[in-house]
Amino acid sequence: RRIRISCVLDIKWYFRLDVLRSTNYDFVRRVGQKYFVSYKKRDSFSTAVEFCSQRGLELALPQNEEENNILTQFFGDDNKTAWINVNTNKAEGNFEVDMKKQPLTFTKWGEGQPDKSIQNTGCTMLSENAVWRVTHDCSLNAYVICQI
């Protein structure tokens, strides 16, 4: 039974990699078994989540220091922020869970973060100095980076 489940997971992984290869992303970085991809497009948080989801991907969420630093390689000369996949509803985990409500296993909050003044909804950005911050303005234009 384990072999069968493993084969199904391998087929899904292979399919996603095939989709990745057939799409010309402007940014592709591999870290371990994970790929970060982007067209170097900036948009709101909700559009970022939708964009990744429509492609069978998820919004990027670094799981360790190496992944966090790789994402900062993406930034150009302007707008050095990217959305990351942290739950937006303070009541559903106080910014300590991802969008699937799973506990974050790695965080790199900046000083004073997550912002305690945010009462309901806030979206999390990765900034150029590789730290995370929550903003109440989820309509800001930040880079959209997906993961596979």
Side-chain angles (χ1 to χ4, degrees):
R1 192 172 198 168
R2 287 185 192 172
I3 294 171
R4 185 174 185 202
I5 291 170
S6 177
C7 289
V8 170
L9 292 175
D10 288 345
I11 290 168
K12 286 181 181 178
W13 180 251
Y14 178 78
F15 173 73
R16 286 193 171 165
L17 284 180
D18 193 44
V19 169
L20 177 62
R21 288 184 187 118
S22 67
T23 308
N24 293 321
Y25 290 104
D26 296 320
F27 175 86
V28 177
R29 293 291 185 279
R30 180 179 178 182
V31 182
Q33 295 297 312
K34 186 186 287 186
Y35 285 87
F36 294 111
V37 297
S38 179
Y39 286 121
K40 292 203 170 188
K41 171 185 173 187
R42 294 185 311 204
D43 219 316
S44 68
F45 180 82
S46 61
T47 302
V49 171
E50 183 180 345
F51 177 86
C52 294
S53 177
Q54 287 174 343
R55 286 151 183 80
L57 308 173
E58 295 179 335
L59 192 60
L61 180 60
Q63 297 296 318
N64 54 50
E65 190 73 35
E66 181 182 15
E67 290 180 8
N68 203 63
N69 290 334
I70 288 289
L71 290 177
T72 62
Q73 292 177 4
F74 175 82
F75 302 136
D77 293 334
D78 60 339
N79 195 338
K80 298 179 184 213
T81 56
W83 296 117
I84 57 174
N85 195 3
V86 176
N87 194 304
T88 58
N89 191 333
K90 183 175 182 175
E92 292 179 0
N94 201 29
F95 308 114
E96 295 176 7
V97 297
D98 65 18
M99 296 295 286
K100 294 179 181 175
K101 299 181 183 148
Q102 297 300 309
L104 299 176
T105 57
F106 169 82
T107 60
K108 190 153 184 191
W109 295 109
E111 188 174 332
Q113 294 291 324
D115 186 345
K116 308 277 190 252
S117 71
I118 294 177
Q119 297 300 311
N120 298 316
T121 301
C123 300
T124 304
M125 303 172 126
L126 171 69
S127 65
E128 69 179 304
N129 54 355
V131 297
W132 302 5
R133 68 180 176 91
V134 178
T135 178
H136 69 279
D137 190 355
C138 298
S139 65
L140 290 173
N141 283 331
Y143 282 112
V144 178
I145 306 173
C146 306
Q147 68 183 30
I148 184 172

